[in-house]
Amino acid sequence: MNRVLFIFAPILGLLIEGCAAPGSGIGNLAVSGRLTSSSDQPISGKEIQFILPATYGLGGLDLVMNSPDDFGHKDRRFNVTTDENGQFYQDLGQTIYHVTCWLLPPVGCYPSGPPAPFLLVRLPDNQSEYYAVQTQDGQFKVFTMSGKETPVEESSVKSISTKVENSNDKKERSTVGVINIQIK
C-alpha cells in the first residue's frame, strides 16, 4: 500500500495543484467614455490624450529578463475628440496579450480576452496634470507633469469612473475600457 501511494502521490499532487504553461492570445482592444462638467453637462469638441503603456498585455515572467521592446511593444499614444454628447471612442485594433493555459486540469487559457487596459490620460486644456487610470477596478491617481502625485481634491478632476466591457465571442474576443471623466 505504501508503495502504491509513493508512486501515485506525485501524480495526485500534480492534479490537485494543476499544471499551466504560458501562451499568447489575440483580441481587439478599444477605449470609450464620456467627458462632463461638474454639473454633469457634456463637454463637446474637447481633445483627450491617452497612452497605453508598452507593458500592456505582458505578464508572467515576460518582464523579468526582458523589456517591452523585446516583444515589439511600444507605448501607444492616441488622441480622441469628444462628440456633441461629450462621448468618445477609439478602436486600438488587434492586440497580443499574455495568457496562462491550464493543462492539468484541461480548462483552457485565461484570460479569454484582452485584459482591461491601464491608461495614462491627459486633457490638453490642463497642461499641469495627468491621470493614471486602471479600468479594471476604477482606481486612479493624479500626477503633475513632473511625476509628483497630487491629491484628487487639489486637481481639476472631480471624479473618474470606469468599467470594462468584454465580448466572449469565440470568433471576436474584445475588451473595451470605458472611462467617464467629470471635471471641476
Side-chain angles (χ1 to χ4, degrees):
M1 180 68 171
N2 287 341
R3 187 177 208 169
V4 171
L5 284 176
F6 180 75
I7 293 171
F8 288 107
I11 296 170
L12 183 61
L14 189 63
L15 289 174
I16 291 172
E17 282 189 28
C19 181
S24 295
I26 188 166
N28 200 69
L29 185 65
V31 176
S32 71
R34 189 166 188 237
L35 179 63
T36 60
S37 67
S38 59
S39 59
D40 208 28
Q41 296 301 308
I43 300 175
S44 64
K46 291 293 181 182
E47 185 178 271
I48 304 172
Q49 298 174 338
F50 291 94
I51 296 175
L52 179 68
T55 56
Y56 174 79
L58 299 176
L61 299 174
D62 293 342
L63 296 174
V64 172
M65 296 179 66
N66 299 295
S67 72
D69 283 340
D70 295 331
F71 299 97
H73 286 220
K74 302 218 180 292
D75 288 348
R76 293 163 65 182
R77 299 169 187 271
F78 54 98
N79 298 338
V80 297
T81 302
T82 59
D83 66 12
E84 62 276 355
N85 297 317
Q87 296 178 329
F88 60 88
Y89 179 85
Q90 178 69 44
D91 185 353
L92 300 177
Q94 295 290 308
T95 188
I96 296 172
Y97 58 93
H98 175 86
V99 296
T100 300
C101 297
W102 291 93
L103 306 172
L104 291 174
V107 293
C109 298
Y110 294 96
S112 60
F118 165 82
L119 295 160
L120 300 175
V121 182
R122 190 168 83 81
L123 304 171
D125 288 348
N126 184 346
Q127 296 291 323
S128 63
E129 63 188 30
Y130 67 94
Y131 318 106
V133 181
Q134 293 182 164
T135 59
Q136 175 184 338
D137 60 8
Q139 297 292 314
F140 73 95
K141 291 185 178 186
V142 180
F143 293 94
T144 64
M145 294 310 286
S146 65
K148 181 181 176 203
E149 187 175 351
T150 301
V152 175
E153 303 79 37
E154 296 175 18
S155 73
S156 64
V157 71
K158 183 175 180 182
S159 69
I160 296 177
S161 62
T162 67
K163 68 178 181 176
V164 177
E165 297 173 350
N166 293 308
S167 167
N168 292 325
D169 182 2
K170 297 282 185 203
K171 293 179 185 173
E172 179 64 36
R173 294 183 172 131
S174 66
T175 299
V176 179
V178 180
I179 302 173
N180 295 309
I181 305 167
Q182 188 173 41
I183 60 174
K184 295 178 184 170

